[in-house]
Coordinates of all heavy atoms in Angstrom, one line a residue:
M92 N 122.3 97.3 100.0 CA 121.6 97.5 98.8 C 120.9 96.2 98.3 O 119.8 96.2 97.8 CB 122.5 98.0 97.7 CG 121.9 98.4 96.5 SD 120.9 99.8 96.8 CE 120.4 100.3 95.2
E93 N 121.5 95.1 98.6 CA 120.9 93.8 98.2 C 119.6 93.5 99.0 O 118.7 93.0 98.4 CB 121.9 92.6 98.5 CG 123.1 92.6 97.5 CD 122.6 92.3 96.1 OE1 121.8 91.4 95.9 OE2 123.1 93.0 95.2
L94 N 119.6 93.9 100.3 CA 118.3 93.7 101.1 C 117.2 94.5 100.5 O 116.0 94.1 100.5 CB 118.6 94.0 102.5 CG 119.5 93.0 103.3 CD1 119.7 93.5 104.7 CD2 118.9 91.6 103.3
A95 N 117.5 95.7 100.0 CA 116.4 96.5 99.4 C 115.9 95.8 98.1 O 114.7 95.9 97.8 CB 117.0 97.9 99.0
K96 N 116.8 95.2 97.4 CA 116.4 94.4 96.2 C 115.4 93.3 96.6 O 114.4 93.1 95.9 CB 117.6 93.9 95.5 CG 117.3 92.9 94.3 CD 118.6 92.4 93.8 CE 118.4 91.1 93.1 NZ 119.6 90.4 92.7
F97 N 115.8 92.6 97.7 CA 114.9 91.5 98.1 C 113.6 92.0 98.6 O 112.5 91.4 98.3 CB 115.6 90.6 99.2 CG 116.9 90.0 98.7 CD1 118.0 90.0 99.6 CD2 117.1 89.5 97.5 CE1 119.2 89.4 99.2 CE2 118.3 89.0 97.0 CZ 119.3 88.9 97.9
A98 N 113.6 93.1 99.3 CA 112.3 93.7 99.8 C 111.5 94.1 98.6 O 110.2 93.9 98.6 CB 112.6 94.9 100.7
A99 N 112.1 94.7 97.5 CA 111.3 95.1 96.3 C 110.8 93.9 95.6 O 109.6 93.9 95.2 CB 112.3 95.9 95.4
I100 N 111.5 92.8 95.5 CA 111.0 91.6 94.9 C 109.8 91.1 95.7 O 108.8 90.7 95.1 CB 112.1 90.5 94.9 CG1 113.2 90.9 93.8 CG2 111.5 89.1 94.5 CD1 114.4 90.0 93.9
L101 N 109.9 91.0 97.0 CA 108.7 90.5 97.8 C 107.5 91.5 97.7 O 106.4 91.0 97.5 CB 109.2 90.4 99.3 CG 110.1 89.3 99.6 CD1 110.5 89.4 101.1 CD2 109.4 88.0 99.4
L102 N 107.8 92.8 97.6 CA 106.7 93.7 97.5 C 106.0 93.6 96.1 O 104.7 93.5 96.0 CB 107.1 95.1 97.7 CG 106.1 96.2 97.6 CD1 105.1 96.0 98.8 CD2 106.7 97.6 97.7
V103 N 106.7 93.5 95.1 CA 106.2 93.4 93.7 C 105.4 92.0 93.6 O 104.3 92.0 93.0 CB 107.3 93.5 92.6 CG1 106.8 93.1 91.3 CG2 107.8 95.0 92.6
M104 N 106.0 90.9 94.0 CA 105.4 89.6 93.9 C 104.1 89.6 94.7 O 103.1 89.0 94.3 CB 106.4 88.5 94.2 CG 107.5 88.4 93.3 SD 107.1 88.2 91.6 CE 106.2 86.6 91.6
S105 N 104.2 90.2 95.9 CA 103.0 90.2 96.8 C 101.8 91.0 96.1 O 100.7 90.6 96.1 CB 103.3 90.9 98.1 OG 104.2 90.1 98.8
H106 N 102.2 92.1 95.4 CA 101.2 92.9 94.7 C 100.6 92.1 93.6 O 99.4 92.1 93.4 CB 101.9 94.2 94.2 CG 101.0 94.9 93.2 ND1 99.9 95.6 93.6 CD2 101.1 95.0 91.9 CE1 99.3 96.2 92.5 NE2 100.0 95.8 91.5
W107 N 101.4 91.4 92.8 CA 100.9 90.6 91.6 C 100.0 89.5 92.1 O 98.9 89.3 91.6 CB 102.1 90.1 90.8 CG 102.8 91.1 90.0 CD1 102.5 92.4 89.7 CD2 104.0 90.8 89.3 NE1 103.4 93.0 88.9 CE2 104.3 92.0 88.6 CE3 104.8 89.8 89.1 CZ2 105.5 92.2 87.8 CZ3 106.0 89.9 88.4 CH2 106.3 91.1 87.7
F108 N 100.5 88.8 93.2 CA 99.7 87.7 93.7 C 98.3 88.2 94.3 O 97.3 87.6 94.1 CB 100.4 86.9 94.7 CG 101.6 86.1 94.2 CD1 102.6 85.7 95.0 CD2 101.6 85.7 92.8 CE1 103.7 85.0 94.5 CE2 102.7 85.0 92.3 CZ 103.7 84.6 93.2
A109 N 98.4 89.4 94.9 CA 97.2 90.0 95.5 C 96.2 90.3 94.4 O 95.0 90.1 94.5 CB 97.5 91.2 96.4
C110 N 96.7 90.9 93.3 CA 95.9 91.3 92.2 C 95.2 90.0 91.6 O 94.0 90.0 91.2 CB 96.7 92.0 91.1 SG 97.1 93.7 91.7
I111 N 96.0 89.0 91.4 CA 95.5 87.7 90.8 C 94.4 87.2 91.7 O 93.3 86.8 91.3 CB 96.6 86.7 90.6 CG1 97.5 87.2 89.5 CG2 96.0 85.3 90.3 CD1 98.8 86.4 89.4
W112 N 94.7 87.1 93.0 CA 93.7 86.6 94.0 C 92.4 87.4 94.0 O 91.3 86.8 94.1 CB 94.4 86.5 95.4 CG 93.6 85.7 96.4 CD1 93.1 86.3 97.6 CD2 93.2 84.4 96.4 NE1 92.5 85.3 98.3 CE2 92.5 84.1 97.6 CE3 93.3 83.3 95.5 CZ2 91.9 82.9 97.9 CZ3 92.8 82.1 95.8 CH2 92.1 81.9 97.0
A113 N 92.5 88.7 94.0 CA 91.4 89.6 94.0 C 90.6 89.4 92.7 O 89.3 89.3 92.8 CB 91.8 91.0 94.2
L114 N 91.2 89.3 91.6 CA 90.5 89.1 90.3 C 89.8 87.8 90.3 O 88.6 87.7 89.8 CB 91.5 89.2 89.2 CG 91.9 90.6 88.8 CD1 93.0 90.6 87.8 CD2 90.8 91.5 88.4
V115 N 90.4 86.7 90.8 CA 89.7 85.4 90.8 C 88.5 85.5 91.7 O 87.4 85.0 91.4 CB 90.7 84.3 91.3 CG1 90.0 83.0 91.6 CG2 91.8 84.1 90.3
G116 N 88.6 86.2 92.9 CA 87.4 86.3 93.8 C 86.3 87.1 93.1 O 85.1 86.8 93.2
M117 N 86.7 88.2 92.5 CA 85.7 89.1 91.9 C 85.0 88.4 90.7 O 83.8 88.6 90.5 CB 86.3 90.4 91.5 CG 86.6 91.3 92.7 SD 87.2 93.0 92.2 CE 88.7 92.7 91.4
H118 N 85.8 87.6 89.9 CA 85.2 86.9 88.8 C 84.2 85.8 89.4 O 83.1 85.7 88.8 CB 86.3 86.2 88.0 CG 85.7 85.3 86.9 ND1 85.1 85.8 85.8 CD2 85.7 83.9 86.8 CE1 84.7 84.8 85.1 NE2 85.1 83.6 85.7
G119 N 84.5 85.2 90.4 CA 83.6 84.2 91.0 C 82.3 84.9 91.5 O 81.2 84.3 91.3
Q120 N 82.4 86.1 92.0 CA 81.2 86.8 92.4 C 80.3 87.1 91.2 O 79.1 87.0 91.2 CB 81.6 88.1 93.1 CG 82.0 87.9 94.5 CD 82.3 89.2 95.2 OE1 82.9 90.1 94.7 NE2 81.9 89.2 96.5
E121 N 81.0 87.5 90.0 CA 80.3 87.8 88.8 C 79.5 86.6 88.3 O 78.4 86.8 87.7 CB 81.2 88.3 87.7 CG 81.7 89.7 88.0 CD 82.7 90.2 87.0 OE1 83.0 89.4 86.0 OE2 83.3 91.3 87.1
I122 N 80.0 85.4 88.4 CA 79.3 84.2 87.9 C 78.5 83.6 88.9 O 77.8 82.5 88.7 CB 80.3 83.2 87.3 CG1 81.3 82.7 88.3 CG2 81.1 83.9 86.1 CD1 82.2 81.6 87.8
G123 N 78.4 84.1 90.1 CA 77.5 83.6 91.2 C 78.1 82.5 92.0 O 77.3 81.8 92.7
A124 N 79.4 82.2 91.9 CA 80.0 81.1 92.7 C 80.3 81.6 94.1 O 80.5 82.8 94.3 CB 81.3 80.7 92.0
P125 N 80.4 80.8 95.1 CA 80.9 81.2 96.4 C 82.3 81.6 96.3 O 83.1 80.9 95.6 CB 80.6 79.9 97.3 CG 80.6 78.8 96.3 CD 80.1 79.3 95.0
T126 N 82.7 82.6 97.0 CA 84.1 83.1 96.8 C 84.7 83.4 98.2 O 84.0 83.5 99.2 CB 84.2 84.4 96.0 OG1 83.6 85.5 96.8 CG2 83.5 84.3 94.7
W127 N 86.0 83.5 98.2 CA 86.7 83.9 99.4 C 86.3 85.3 99.9 O 86.3 85.5 101.1 CB 88.3 83.9 99.2 CG 88.8 84.9 98.3 CD1 89.0 84.8 97.0 CD2 89.2 86.3 98.7 NE1 89.5 86.0 96.5 CE2 89.7 86.9 97.5 CE3 89.2 86.9 99.9 CZ2 90.1 88.2 97.5 CZ3 89.7 88.3 99.9 CH2 90.1 88.9 98.7
I128 N 85.9 86.2 99.0 CA 85.4 87.5 99.4 C 84.1 87.4 100.2 O 84.0 88.0 101.3 CB 85.2 88.4 98.2 CG1 86.6 88.6 97.4 CG2 84.7 89.7 98.6 CD1 86.5 89.3 96.1
D129 N 83.2 86.5 99.7 CA 82.0 86.3 100.4 C 82.2 85.6 101.8 O 81.6 86.0 102.8 CB 81.0 85.4 99.6 CG 80.7 86.0 98.2 OD1 80.6 87.2 98.2 OD2 80.5 85.2 97.3
D130 N 83.2 84.7 101.8 CA 83.4 84.0 103.0 C 83.9 84.9 104.1 O 83.5 84.8 105.2 CB 84.5 82.9 102.7 CG 84.7 82.0 103.9 OD1 83.8 81.5 104.5 OD2 85.9 81.8 104.3
I131 N 84.9 85.8 103.8 CA 85.4 86.6 104.9 C 84.4 87.7 105.2 O 84.4 88.3 106.3 CB 86.8 87.2 104.6 CG1 86.8 88.1 103.4 CG2 87.8 86.1 104.4 CD1 88.1 88.9 103.2
S132 N 83.6 88.1 104.2 CA 82.5 89.1 104.5 C 81.5 88.6 105.5 O 80.9 89.3 106.3 CB 81.8 89.5 103.3 OG 82.7 90.3 102.4
N133 N 81.3 87.2 105.5 CA 80.3 86.6 106.4 C 80.9 86.3 107.8 O 80.1 86.0 108.7 CB 79.8 85.3 105.8 CG 79.0 85.6 104.5 OD1 78.3 86.6 104.4 ND2 79.0 84.6 103.6
K134 N 82.2 86.4 107.9 CA 82.8 86.2 109.2 C 82.9 87.5 109.9 O 82.4 88.5 109.5 CB 84.2 85.6 109.0 CG 84.2 84.2 108.4 CD 85.6 83.7 108.2 CE 85.6 82.3 107.5 NZ 87.0 81.9 107.2
A135 N 83.6 87.5 111.0 CA 83.7 88.7 111.9 C 84.5 89.8 111.3 O 84.6 90.9 111.9 CB 84.2 88.3 113.3
H136 N 85.1 89.6 110.1 CA 85.9 90.6 109.5 C 85.2 91.8 109.0 O 85.7 92.8 108.7 CB 86.7 90.0 108.3 CG 87.6 88.8 108.7 ND1 88.7 89.0 109.5 CD2 87.4 87.5 108.4 CE1 89.2 87.7 109.7 NE2 88.5 86.9 109.0
G137 N 83.9 91.6 108.8 CA 83.1 92.7 108.3 C 83.0 92.6 106.8 O 83.7 91.8 106.2
P138 N 82.2 93.4 106.1 CA 82.0 93.3 104.7 C 83.2 93.8 103.9 O 83.9 94.7 104.3 CB 80.8 94.2 104.4 CG 80.7 95.1 105.6 CD 81.3 94.4 106.7
V139 N 83.5 93.1 102.9 CA 84.6 93.5 102.0 C 83.9 94.0 100.7 O 83.5 93.3 99.8 CB 85.5 92.3 101.6 CG1 86.5 92.7 100.6 CG2 86.1 91.7 102.8
S140 N 83.6 95.3 100.8 CA 82.7 95.9 99.8 C 83.4 96.9 98.8 O 82.8 97.3 97.9 CB 81.6 96.6 100.5 OG 82.0 97.6 101.4
T141 N 84.6 97.3 99.1 CA 85.3 98.3 98.2 C 86.5 97.6 97.6 O 87.0 96.5 98.0 CB 85.8 99.5 99.0 OG1 86.8 99.1 99.9 CG2 84.7 100.1 99.8
S142 N 87.0 98.2 96.5 CA 88.2 97.7 95.9 C 89.4 97.7 96.8 O 90.2 96.7 96.8 CB 88.5 98.5 94.6 OG 87.5 98.5 93.7
W143 N 89.5 98.7 97.6 CA 90.6 98.8 98.6 C 90.5 97.7 99.6 O 91.6 97.1 100.0 CB 90.7 100.2 99.2 CG 91.3 101.2 98.2 CD1 90.6 102.2 97.6 CD2 92.6 101.2 97.7 NE1 91.5 102.9 96.8 CE2 92.7 102.3 96.8 CE3 93.8 100.4 97.9 CZ2 93.9 102.6 96.1 CZ3 94.9 100.8 97.2 CH2 95.0 101.8 96.4
S144 N 89.3 97.4 100.1 CA 89.2 96.4 101.2 C 89.5 95.0 100.6 O 90.1 94.2 101.2 CB 87.9 96.5 101.9 OG 86.8 96.3 101.0
T145 N 89.1 94.8 99.3 CA 89.4 93.6 98.6 C 90.9 93.4 98.4 O 91.4 92.4 98.7 CB 88.6 93.5 97.3 OG1 87.2 93.6 97.5 CG2 88.9 92.2 96.6
Y146 N 91.5 94.5 97.9 CA 93.0 94.5 97.7 C 93.7 94.3 99.0 O 94.7 93.5 99.1 CB 93.4 95.8 97.1 CG 94.9 95.8 96.9 CD1 95.5 95.1 95.8 CD2 95.7 96.6 97.7 CE1 96.9 95.1 95.7 CE2 97.1 96.6 97.5 CZ 97.7 95.9 96.5 OH 99.0 95.9 96.3
G147 N 93.3 94.9 100.1 CA 93.9 94.7 101.4 C 93.8 93.3 101.9 O 94.8 92.7 102.4
A148 N 92.7 92.7 101.8 CA 92.5 91.3 102.2 C 93.3 90.4 101.2 O 94.0 89.4 101.7 CB 91.1 90.9 102.1
A149 N 93.4 90.7 100.0 CA 94.1 89.9 99.0 C 95.6 90.0 99.3 O 96.4 89.1 99.2 CB 93.8 90.3 97.6
M150 N 96.1 91.2 99.6 CA 97.5 91.5 100.0 C 97.9 90.7 101.2 O 99.0 90.1 101.3 CB 97.8 93.0 100.1 CG 99.3 93.3 100.4 SD 100.4 92.7 99.1 CE 100.6 94.2 98.2
H151 N 97.0 90.7 102.2 CA 97.2 89.9 103.4 C 97.4 88.4 103.0 O 98.3 87.8 103.5 CB 96.0 90.1 104.4 CG 95.9 89.1 105.4 ND1 96.7 89.1 106.6 CD2 95.1 88.0 105.6 CE1 96.4 88.1 107.3 NE2 95.4 87.4 106.8
F152 N 96.5 87.9 102.2 CA 96.6 86.5 101.8 C 97.9 86.3 101.0 O 98.6 85.3 101.3 CB 95.4 86.2 100.8 CG 95.5 84.9 100.1 CD1 95.2 83.7 100.8 CD2 96.0 84.8 98.8 CE1 95.3 82.5 100.1 CE2 96.2 83.6 98.2 CZ 95.8 82.4 98.9
A153 N 98.3 87.2 100.1 CA 99.5 87.0 99.4 C 100.8 87.0 100.2 O 101.6 86.1 100.1 CB 99.6 88.1 98.3
I154 N 100.9 87.9 101.2 CA 102.0 87.9 102.1 C 102.1 86.7 103.0 O 103.1 86.1 103.1 CB 102.0 89.2 102.9 CG1 102.3 90.4 102.0 CG2 103.1 89.2 104.0 CD1 102.0 91.8 102.6
M155 N 100.9 86.3 103.5 CA 100.9 85.1 104.3 C 101.2 83.8 103.5 O 101.8 82.9 104.1 CB 99.5 84.9 105.0 CG 99.1 86.0 105.9 SD 100.2 86.2 107.3 CE 101.0 87.8 106.9
T156 N 100.9 83.8 102.3 CA 101.2 82.7 101.4 C 102.6 82.6 101.0 O 103.3 81.6 101.1 CB 100.3 82.7 100.2 OG1 98.9 82.6 100.6 CG2 100.5 81.4 99.3
I157 N 103.2 83.8 100.6 CA 104.6 83.8 100.2 C 105.5 83.5 101.3 O 106.5 82.7 101.2 CB 104.9 85.2 99.6 CG1 104.3 85.4 98.2 CG2 106.5 85.4 99.5 CD1 104.5 86.8 97.7
T158 N 105.2 84.0 102.5 CA 106.1 83.8 103.6 C 105.8 82.5 104.4 O 106.5 82.2 105.4 CB 106.0 84.9 104.6 OG1 104.7 85.1 105.1 CG2 106.5 86.2 104.0
S159 N 104.9 81.7 103.9 CA 104.4 80.4 104.4 C 103.9 80.5 105.9 O 104.0 79.5 106.6 CB 105.5 79.4 104.3 OG 106.6 79.6 105.1
I160 N 103.5 81.7 106.3 CA 102.9 81.8 107.6 C 101.5 81.2 107.6 O 101.1 80.4 108.4 CB 102.8 83.3 108.1 CG1 104.2 83.9 108.2 CG2 102.0 83.5 109.3 CD1 104.3 85.4 108.5
G161 N 100.7 81.6 106.6 CA 99.4 81.0 106.4 C 98.5 80.9 107.6 O 98.2 79.9 108.1
Y162 N 97.8 82.0 107.9 CA 96.9 82.1 109.0 C 95.7 81.2 108.8 O 95.1 80.7 109.7 CB 96.4 83.5 109.3 CG 97.5 84.4 110.0 CD1 97.6 85.7 109.6 CD2 98.3 83.9 111.0 CE1 98.6 86.5 110.1 CE2 99.3 84.7 111.5 CZ 99.4 86.0 111.1 OH 100.3 86.8 111.7
G163 N 95.3 81.0 107.6 CA 94.1 80.2 107.3 C 92.8 80.9 107.4 O 91.7 80.3 107.3
D164 N 92.8 82.3 107.5 CA 91.6 83.0 107.6 C 90.9 83.3 106.3 O 89.8 83.6 106.2 CB 91.8 84.3 108.4 CG 92.9 85.2 107.9 OD1 93.7 84.7 107.1 OD2 92.9 86.4 108.3
I165 N 91.7 83.2 105.2 CA 91.2 83.4 103.9 C 91.5 82.2 103.1 O 92.7 81.8 102.9 CB 91.9 84.6 103.2 CG1 91.6 85.9 104.0 CG2 91.5 84.8 101.7 CD1 92.3 87.2 103.5
T166 N 90.4 81.5 102.7 CA 90.6 80.2 102.0 C 89.8 80.2 100.7 O 88.8 80.8 100.6 CB 90.1 79.1 102.9 OG1 88.7 79.3 103.3 CG2 90.9 79.0 104.2
P167 N 90.3 79.3 99.8 CA 89.5 79.2 98.5 C 88.1 78.6 98.8 O 88.0 77.7 99.6 CB 90.4 78.3 97.6 CG 91.4 77.7 98.6 CD 91.5 78.5 99.8
Q168 N 87.2 79.0 98.0 CA 85.8 78.5 98.1 C 85.2 77.8 96.9 O 84.1 77.3 96.9 CB 84.9 79.7 98.5 CG 85.3 80.4 99.8 CD 85.2 79.5 101.0 OE1 84.2 78.8 101.2 NE2 86.2 79.4 101.8
N169 N 86.0 77.9 95.8 CA 85.5 77.2 94.5 C 86.7 76.7 93.8 O 87.9 77.0 94.1 CB 84.6 78.2 93.7 CG 85.4 79.4 93.2 OD1 86.4 79.3 92.6 ND2 84.9 80.6 93.6
M170 N 86.5 75.9 92.7 CA 87.6 75.3 92.0 C 88.6 76.3 91.4 O 89.8 76.1 91.5 CB 87.0 74.3 91.0 CG 88.1 73.5 90.4 SD 89.2 72.6 91.6 CE 88.0 71.5 92.3
G171 N 88.1 77.4 90.9 CA 89.0 78.4 90.3 C 89.9 79.0 91.3 O 91.1 79.2 91.1
E172 N 89.3 79.2 92.5 CA 90.2 79.7 93.6 C 91.2 78.7 94.1 O 92.3 79.1 94.4 CB 89.3 80.2 94.8 CG 88.5 81.4 94.4 CD 87.6 81.9 95.5 OE1 87.5 81.3 96.6 OE2 87.0 83.0 95.3
Y173 N 90.8 77.4 94.1 CA 91.8 76.4 94.5 C 92.9 76.3 93.5 O 94.1 76.2 93.9 CB 91.1 75.0 94.6 CG 90.4 74.8 95.9 CD1 89.0 74.9 96.0 CD2 91.2 74.4 97.0 CE1 88.4 74.7 97.3 CE2 90.6 74.2 98.3 CZ 89.2 74.3 98.4 OH 88.6 74.1 99.6
V174 N 92.6 76.4 92.2 CA 93.7 76.4 91.2 C 94.6 77.6 91.4 O 95.8 77.5 91.4 CB 93.1 76.3 89.8 CG1 94.2 76.5 88.7 CG2 92.4 75.0 89.6
A175 N 94.0 78.8 91.5 CA 94.8 80.0 91.6 C 95.6 80.0 92.9 O 96.8 80.3 92.9 CB 93.9 81.3 91.7
C176 N 95.0 79.5 94.0 CA 95.7 79.4 95.3 C 96.9 78.4 95.1 O 98.0 78.7 95.6 CB 94.8 78.9 96.3 SG 95.5 78.8 98.0
A177 N 96.8 77.3 94.5 CA 97.9 76.3 94.3 C 99.0 77.0 93.5 O 100.2 76.8 93.8 CB 97.3 75.1 93.6
L178 N 98.7 77.7 92.4 CA 99.7 78.3 91.6 C 100.4 79.4 92.4 O 101.6 79.6 92.3 CB 99.1 78.9 90.3 CG 98.6 77.9 89.3 CD1 97.8 78.5 88.2 CD2 99.7 77.0 88.8
I179 N 99.7 80.2 93.2 CA 100.3 81.3 94.0 C 101.2 80.6 95.1 O 102.3 81.1 95.3 CB 99.2 82.1 94.7 CG1 98.5 83.0 93.6 CG2 99.8 83.0 95.8 CD1 97.3 83.7 94.1
Q180 N 100.8 79.5 95.6 CA 101.6 78.8 96.6 C 102.9 78.3 95.9 O 104.0 78.4 96.5 CB 100.9 77.7 97.3 CG 99.8 78.1 98.2 CD 98.9 76.9 98.7 OE1 99.0 75.8 98.1 NE2 98.1 77.2 99.7
L181 N 102.8 77.7 94.8 CA 103.9 77.2 94.0 C 104.9 78.3 93.7 O 106.1 78.2 94.1 CB 103.4 76.5 92.8 CG 104.5 75.9 91.9 CD1 105.2 74.7 92.6 CD2 103.9 75.4 90.6
F182 N 104.5 79.3 93.1 CA 105.4 80.4 92.7 C 105.8 81.2 93.9 O 107.0 81.6 94.0 CB 104.7 81.3 91.7 CG 104.6 80.7 90.3 CD1 103.4 80.3 89.8 CD2 105.7 80.4 89.5 CE1 103.3 79.6 88.6 CE2 105.6 79.8 88.3 CZ 104.4 79.4 87.8
G183 N 104.9 81.4 94.9 CA 105.3 82.1 96.1 C 106.4 81.4 96.9 O 107.3 82.0 97.4
G184 N 106.3 80.0 96.9 CA 107.4 79.3 97.6 C 108.7 79.4 96.9 O 109.7 79.5 97.6
G185 N 108.7 79.5 95.6 CA 109.9 79.7 94.8 C 110.5 81.1 95.1 O 111.7 81.2 95.3
V186 N 109.7 82.1 95.1 CA 110.1 83.5 95.4 C 110.7 83.5 96.8 O 111.8 84.1 97.0 CB 109.0 84.5 95.3 CG1 109.4 85.8 95.8 CG2 108.5 84.6 93.8
W187 N 110.0 82.9 97.8 CA 110.5 82.9 99.2 C 111.9 82.2 99.3 O 112.8 82.7 100.0 CB 109.5 82.4 100.1 CG 109.7 82.5 101.6 CD1 109.9 81.5 102.5 CD2 109.9 83.7 102.3 NE1 110.1 82.0 103.7 CE2 110.1 83.4 103.6 CE3 109.8 85.1 102.0 CZ2 110.3 84.3 104.6 CZ3 110.0 86.0 103.0 CH2 110.2 85.6 104.3
A188 N 112.0 81.0 98.6 CA 113.2 80.3 98.7 C 114.4 81.1 98.1 O 115.5 81.1 98.6 CB 113.0 79.0 97.9
Y189 N 114.1 81.8 96.9 CA 115.1 82.6 96.3 C 115.6 83.7 97.2 O 116.8 83.9 97.4 CB 114.6 83.2 95.0 CG 115.5 84.3 94.4 CD1 116.7 83.9 93.8 CD2 115.2 85.6 94.5 CE1 117.5 84.9 93.3 CE2 116.0 86.6 94.1 CZ 117.2 86.2 93.4 OH 118.0 87.2 92.9
V190 N 114.6 84.4 97.8 CA 115.0 85.5 98.7 C 115.8 85.1 99.9 O 116.8 85.6 100.3 CB 113.7 86.3 99.1 CG1 114.0 87.3 100.2 CG2 113.1 87.0 97.9
I191 N 115.3 84.0 100.6 CA 116.0 83.5 101.8 C 117.4 83.0 101.4 O 118.4 83.3 102.1 CB 115.1 82.4 102.5 CG1 113.9 83.1 103.0 CG2 115.9 81.8 103.6 CD1 114.1 84.1 104.1
G192 N 117.4 82.2 100.3 CA 118.7 81.7 99.9 C 119.7 82.7 99.5 O 120.9 82.7 99.9
S193 N 119.2 83.8 98.8 CA 120.1 84.8 98.4 C 120.6 85.7 99.6 O 121.7 86.1 99.7 CB 119.4 85.7 97.4 OG 119.2 85.0 96.2
A194 N 119.6 85.9 100.6 CA 120.0 86.7 101.7 C 121.0 86.0 102.6 O 121.9 86.6 103.2 CB 118.7 87.0 102.6
C195 N 120.9 84.6 102.6 CA 121.9 83.9 103.4 C 123.3 83.9 102.8 O 124.3 83.7 103.4 CB 121.4 82.4 103.5 SG 120.0 82.2 104.7
G196 N 123.3 84.2 101.5 CA 124.6 84.2 100.8 C 125.3 85.6 100.9 O 126.4 85.8 100.3
L197 N 124.7 86.5 101.5 CA 125.3 87.9 101.7 C 126.5 87.8 102.6 O 126.6 87.2 103.6 CB 124.3 88.9 102.2 CG 123.2 89.2 101.2 CD1 122.2 90.3 101.9 CD2 123.7 89.8 99.9

């Protein structure tokens, strides 16, 4: 039962971080700044043109950041994204440390 709790925590935090990351990218597009969405659309990944494709890419980023895998394929492109990324890394590291520490205590 405890493992299900940790999985739920990771899923919820990944969702929140993905939503924040997607909103920051979409806001950047609205103000005409270069964004992570534009960057991955220009790469071989293909266009990120729907809400679901944006959320999927943002969820990928969130999971890679929380688990500290960090492929580096999605990167911040403006100062707002750098700030959001730093905060997601900070809180994501804390979530990951909590989950791993608690799982080791089972």
Side-chain angles (χ1 to χ4, degrees):
M92 190 63 173
E93 288 294 315
L94 290 178
K96 173 184 158 187
F97 299 141
I100 289 170
L101 286 175
L102 183 64
V103 168
M104 294 306 294
S105 295
H106 169 73
W107 287 351
F108 291 157
C110 288
I111 291 167
W112 188 241
L114 286 172
V115 170
M117 289 187 294
H118 175 70
Q120 286 182 318
E121 288 177 4
I122 62 172
T126 68
W127 68 268
I128 298 170
D129 300 328
D130 184 53
I131 65 169
S132 292
N133 294 331
K134 294 179 181 173
H136 302 289
V139 178
S140 57
T141 68
S142 297
W143 284 109
S144 60
T145 301
Y146 178 75
M150 182 61 96
H151 163 77
F152 170 82
I154 292 169
M155 294 303 109
T156 301
I157 288 174
T158 60
S159 69
I160 294 171
Y162 288 138
D164 56 343
I165 299 175
T166 57
Q168 301 296 311
N169 61 56
M170 189 52 66
E172 290 179 357
Y173 276 102
V174 170
C176 186
L178 292 172
I179 290 170
Q180 289 171 348
L181 179 68
F182 289 107
V186 169
W187 188 242
Y189 168 75
V190 168
I191 295 297
S193 297
C195 288
L197 291 179

